[in-house]
Amino acid sequence: MATCQRGCAPAVRFCQRLNRLKTLDDDMMATSLKRCLSTLDLTLLGVGGMVGSGLYVLTGTVAKDMVGPAVIVSFIFAGIASLLAAFCYAEFGARIPKTGSAYMFTYVSVGEVWAFLIGWNVILENMIGGAAVARAWSGYLDSIFNHTIQNFTETHIMRWDVPFLAHYPDLLAAGILVVASLFISFGVQVSSYLNHIFSTISMCILAFILVFGFILAEPANWSQKEGGFAPFGWSGILAGSATCFYAFVGFDVIASSSEEAKNPQKAVPIATAISLGLAAAAYILVSTVLTLMVPWHTLDPNSALADAFFRRGYSWAGVIVAVGSICAMNTVLLCNLFSLPRIVYAMAEDGLFFKIFARVNPITKVPVNAILVFGFLMATLALIFDLEALVQFLSIGTLLAYTFVAASVIVLRFQPEKTSSKGTSSTSPNTNAEPSPAPSECQNISEDSGELKQYESFSDKLQLVERQKTRERRGVGQLRAYWEPYLGRLLGNCEPGEVVALCVLGLIVSSVSFCAVVVFGTNQMQLPQWSFATLLVIFSLAYVICMGLIWVHEPQTNAKTFQVPVVPLIPGASIPINVFLMMKLSPLTWIRFTVWIAIGLLVYFGYGIWHSKEGMRELQPKDMAARYVVLPSGSLVETMESVQPDAPLDASAPQVKPSTALTTEEYSERR
């Protein structure tokens, strides 16, 4: 047995390195970036990240091909599903006001390698998203001038016919990305001002569309003569909701900006709620106007709003709509270029990515290297790749990030707070103790209050352990008092938060299994009806049992920042929604995702794991303190805890011995 344990020790240590958690600083507001963003700035960033080209293109596409006028209901469902994920981001952004968004949240709660993979995928998502928006921006502007730019490029510069590449280099799309990157490198305030300008113009034009559109509305376009309100039924509404969900991707830019917010504890939750509400209202109202102006089956998917005004005889309004579309795409472009370098900066700051990207310009207070390098890479993608090839890879990384953030909320909610070791070196005497014996008979024991106290005898320590056992039984991450008589024997001896962490893993596994059966069970897997129903029942029961086991534990209730309500229900419901949408993506997207993950693992094992700051922190010498724990068998085990007192310890203080275990007989003999 001992040989087996020694042989497994390297593997255990390796797994511990992969799953080590990030240690947060005591001063969460300390940063090398500039805290200058207000609640209004964050709100407009969120609105700009969500209300883009989708408002002018996606509404017409979903209404004509999938849902009809019931696209309104699809956007309502998609907004509710997005709200579940937004709640989780808002809690983390307020609780951990550090840049990095989903990467940082996963690093604090799940582990290092998972955080790296989330950040690695979010980097690719932002690069492809920005390049795709730039291509759409270029194509929309080119269409206004009757494709003059495309014809000139193909005739006088070059044209190629290569699979997965564009037919011609889009110099306009690459140029706008380079120019935008230069503006963003001037500082966060310049980026915020530009976003204010484009967002204000976009919202004014949106108000014009709504007012003028409702004036031109004809309720007969929703009548049975035109196919009715929901011509594709509930199946079409649900399919449309899955597509409309991607319209709300972009609110995570608020959490990415929390390290540059003046008051992130209040600003991040408020900005997230307001921006998501405004975006949902914009999509719902524009969909209503669009389907009331013209019959839904006659919409032009490429430019639905402009074409609707043109067909009603107001071609001049189409020009205004085109200006609004370009301004909206500019805000999305700025948000992509704004959040991408900050995620790279966060990973480089933690040592998981190349150190050069962690440098912050002392004047502008932004990571200039990350902005310029990844802005250039994004411009290269927009230059040579086709828009359709870019869009196919979108969303899978974002959905994966949403899933991990929702799981992280549950894990952290049921974990005890890690008290800081600073300020714990002060000692206070035990008022019930006898006169102090020799110093060698005293040891410092850290209570849950964080204050170090001295106990002169072994019996005092044993009494302390018994008092702690009684007091901590209702602590965070442990069974609620009501359920202890029923589940205490089964779960009572587990570490605080251990059962919840395992149940969160069970939630993810059961969600993946359930969604796989729903999506692939009848077609690809060709399951019999009884087998299909049985598997759904089994995985549903597993999901419900995991949710119930999480609920019977004590959560944190004294947080001073925003918390997601009704935990674990809201983040638990977000997990299967995200998994279901991931299952609906094309096989080619999954193949590309696997290749990108493999490249990321090469980067992590080749560089990140060796330069991780958490790994370097583990190698630093630490002061140790002892804690005595009574095991169910009656043994008294002395465990070690690291402390870092503010003042240096006295050289004459007793040295802590390695961990030892005393049986009750040995304890009696020692007394």
Side-chain angles (χ1 to χ4, degrees):
M1 180 64 69
T3 304
C4 179
Q5 291 179 349
R6 286 194 298 269
C8 296
V12 172
R13 287 195 298 269
F14 179 71
C15 292
Q16 290 174 345
R17 293 178 66 185
L18 296 181
N19 292 282
R20 55 196 169 199
L21 304 179
K22 180 177 176 60
T23 303
L24 296 174
D25 298 330
D26 292 333
D27 186 5
M28 297 290 289
M29 297 297 288
T31 176
S32 57
L33 305 179
K34 185 177 182 180
R35 289 196 178 273
C36 59
L37 297 179
S38 63
T39 304
L40 177 62
D41 298 330
L42 293 178
T43 302
L44 291 179
L45 275 175
V47 172
M50 288 182 281
V51 182
S53 57
L55 188 69
Y56 299 88
V57 178
L58 184 65
T59 49
T61 302
V62 176
K64 181 178 181 180
D65 299 335
M66 304 177 72
V67 188
V71 64
I72 302 167
V73 183
S74 294
F75 273 115
I76 292 175
F77 287 167
I80 294 173
S82 300
L83 184 63
L84 301 180
F87 271 139
C88 302
Y89 273 81
E91 173 172 331
F92 271 116
R95 184 174 179 178
I96 307 172
K98 296 293 183 181
T99 191
S101 189
Y103 156 77
M104 179 64 64
F105 308 154
T106 307
Y107 202 172
V108 181
S109 57
V110 180
E112 184 174 282
V113 66
W114 310 107
F116 177 87
L117 293 178
I118 291 296
W120 184 250
N121 279 284
V122 172
I123 287 174
L124 183 64
E125 291 276 321
N126 279 274
M127 287 179 59
I128 292 180
V133 172
R135 294 284 305 198
W137 184 93
S138 172
Y140 204 95
L141 187 65
D142 193 23
S143 64
I144 296 177
F145 298 102
N146 198 24
H147 300 287
T148 303
I149 301 174
Q150 177 181 350
N151 295 331
F152 178 85
T153 304
E154 292 180 349
T155 303
H156 296 87
I157 300 180
M158 71 171 59
R159 172 186 171 85
W160 54 59
D161 293 309
V162 181
F164 302 108
L165 297 183
H167 296 301
Y168 66 97
D170 197 334
L171 299 176
L172 185 61
I176 189 62
L177 284 170
V178 172
V179 172
S181 299
L182 291 175
F183 274 110
I184 288 178
S185 66
F186 291 152
V188 62
Q189 287 182 320
V190 175
S191 306
S192 180
Y193 291 153
L194 285 175
N195 185 66
H196 281 206
I197 294 171
F198 290 125
S199 296
T200 302
I201 297 174
S202 180
M203 286 190 290
C204 290
I205 294 176
L206 179 60
F208 163 79
I209 293 172
L210 295 178
V211 173
F212 198 33
F214 275 115
I215 294 174
L216 300 177
E218 294 182 359
N221 289 326
W222 284 6
S223 64
Q224 290 296 329
K225 180 181 178 181
E226 301 292 345
F229 179 75
F232 296 93
W234 279 106
S235 60
I237 292 175
L238 294 177
S241 299
T243 303
C244 293
F245 179 85
Y246 302 119
F248 297 98
V249 171
F251 60 79
D252 56 328
V253 68
I254 298 176
S256 298
S257 310
S258 59
E259 192 166 341
E260 293 161 288
K262 296 177 182 177
N263 186 6
Q265 286 76 16
K266 291 184 178 180
V268 170
I270 294 174
T272 302
I274 294 176
S275 61
L276 190 62
L278 290 175
Y283 279 109
I284 292 170
L285 291 175
V286 167
S287 300
T288 304
V289 165
L290 184 61
T291 53
L292 284 174
M293 285 178 61
V294 295
W296 61 269
H297 51 81
T298 63
L299 291 172
D300 182 4
N302 297 321
S303 56
L305 276 173
D307 182 69
F309 281 108
F310 178 79
R311 289 169 54 193
R312 293 300 300 270
Y314 299 94
S315 57
W316 56 270
V319 178
I320 298 178
V321 171
V323 173
S325 176
I326 291 176
C327 289
M329 283 188 277
N330 282 338
T331 59
V332 177
L333 205 60
L334 287 172
C335 289
N336 275 281
L337 285 169
F338 185 87
S339 59
L340 171 60
R342 282 151 180 81
I343 296 172
V344 175
Y345 161 77
M347 297 174 66
E349 181 71 12
D350 292 332
L352 302 185
F353 207 49
F354 305 112
K355 189 177 180 180
I356 188 174
F357 298 123
R359 297 175 184 173
V360 175
N361 187 282
I363 299 175
T364 60
K365 299 293 185 181
V366 294
V368 175
N369 292 340
I371 292 173
L372 296 180
V373 170
F374 282 88
F376 177 78
L377 291 176
M378 195 182 295
T380 304
L381 288 177
L383 180 70
I384 62 176
F385 282 99
D386 190 15
L387 179 61
E388 294 182 0
L390 291 173
V391 171
Q392 287 180 359
F393 197 79
L394 280 177
S395 302
I396 188 169
T398 301
L399 292 171
L400 185 66
Y402 286 0
T403 303
F404 269 83
V405 171
S408 300
V409 166
I410 303 176
V411 171
L412 280 189
R413 181 64 62 87
F414 292 89
Q415 274 188 355
E417 289 283 356
K418 295 180 180 179
T419 57
S420 174
S421 59
K422 293 184 178 182
T424 60
S425 59
S426 60
T427 60
S428 59
N430 188 353
T431 57
N432 298 326
E434 298 177 2
S436 177
S440 60
E441 297 177 17
C442 302
Q443 289 188 16
N444 289 333
I445 297 182
S446 176
E447 289 193 280
D448 288 344
S449 61
E451 183 180 3
L452 289 176
K453 294 187 177 182
Q454 289 186 342
Y455 293 88
E456 291 85 358
S457 65
F458 228 61
S459 59
D460 287 338
K461 297 171 186 175
L462 186 58
Q463 292 173 8
L464 170 65
V465 172
E466 292 297 330
R467 289 198 301 270
Q468 285 181 336
K469 186 177 179 181
T470 303
R471 183 172 64 251
E472 295 177 352
R473 189 168 294 166
R474 308 294 188 269
V476 174
Q478 296 181 325
L479 279 175
R480 298 175 187 261
Y482 178 82
W483 294 99
E484 189 162 354
Y486 307 99
L487 300 173
R489 181 171 298 180
L490 179 64
L491 306 175
N493 293 328
C494 297
E495 291 292 328
E498 182 180 0
V499 176
V500 173
L502 292 175
C503 288
V504 169
L505 179 61
L507 285 179
I508 297 176
V509 173
S510 59
S511 298
V512 170
S513 304
F514 181 87
C515 294
V517 173
V518 170
V519 176
F520 307 114
T522 55
N523 296 327
Q524 287 84 348
M525 300 172 66
Q526 296 182 349
L527 294 175
Q529 193 67 30
W530 65 269
S531 178
F532 180 82
T534 303
L535 289 176
L536 290 183
V537 171
I538 291 174
F539 296 135
S540 299
L541 285 177
Y543 178 88
V544 172
I545 290 173
C546 290
M547 289 284 284
L549 289 176
I550 294 173
W551 182 78
V552 299
H553 287 78
E554 289 285 352
Q556 295 179 11
T557 57
N558 58 350
K560 297 180 181 179
T561 59
F562 171 79
Q563 285 190 319
V564 179
V566 203
V567 172
L569 184 60
I570 287 181
S574 178
I575 291 174
I577 292 175
N578 300 327
V579 171
F580 175 78
L581 293 175
M582 291 173 67
M583 294 286 182
K584 298 290 288 184
L585 297 174
S586 65
L588 185 60
T589 300
W590 280 97
I591 294 174
R592 294 176 178 177
F593 170 75
T594 305
V595 173
W596 185 248
I597 286 290
I599 297 174
L601 290 175
L602 290 177
V603 174
Y604 175 74
F605 288 112
Y607 181 89
I609 194 172
W610 307 107
H611 296 82
S612 170
K613 287 188 176 180
E614 290 302 319
M616 297 178 182
R617 185 179 285 111
E618 291 176 354
L619 300 177
Q620 296 176 355
K622 300 177 182 178
D623 298 316
M624 307 299 293
R627 177 185 291 270
Y628 295 87
V629 181
V630 177
L631 299 179
S633 61
S635 299
L636 186 68
V637 176
E638 181 184 26
T639 61
M640 312 304 295
E641 286 187 353
S642 62
V643 297
Q644 296 174 348
D646 291 337
L649 294 176
D650 187 1
S652 63
Q655 300 295 321
V656 179
K657 299 178 181 179
S659 300
T660 58
L662 299 177
T663 63
T664 51
E665 292 80 4
E666 293 173 333
Y667 164 63
S668 301
E669 292 176 0
R670 178 169 293 191
R671 291 193 64 189

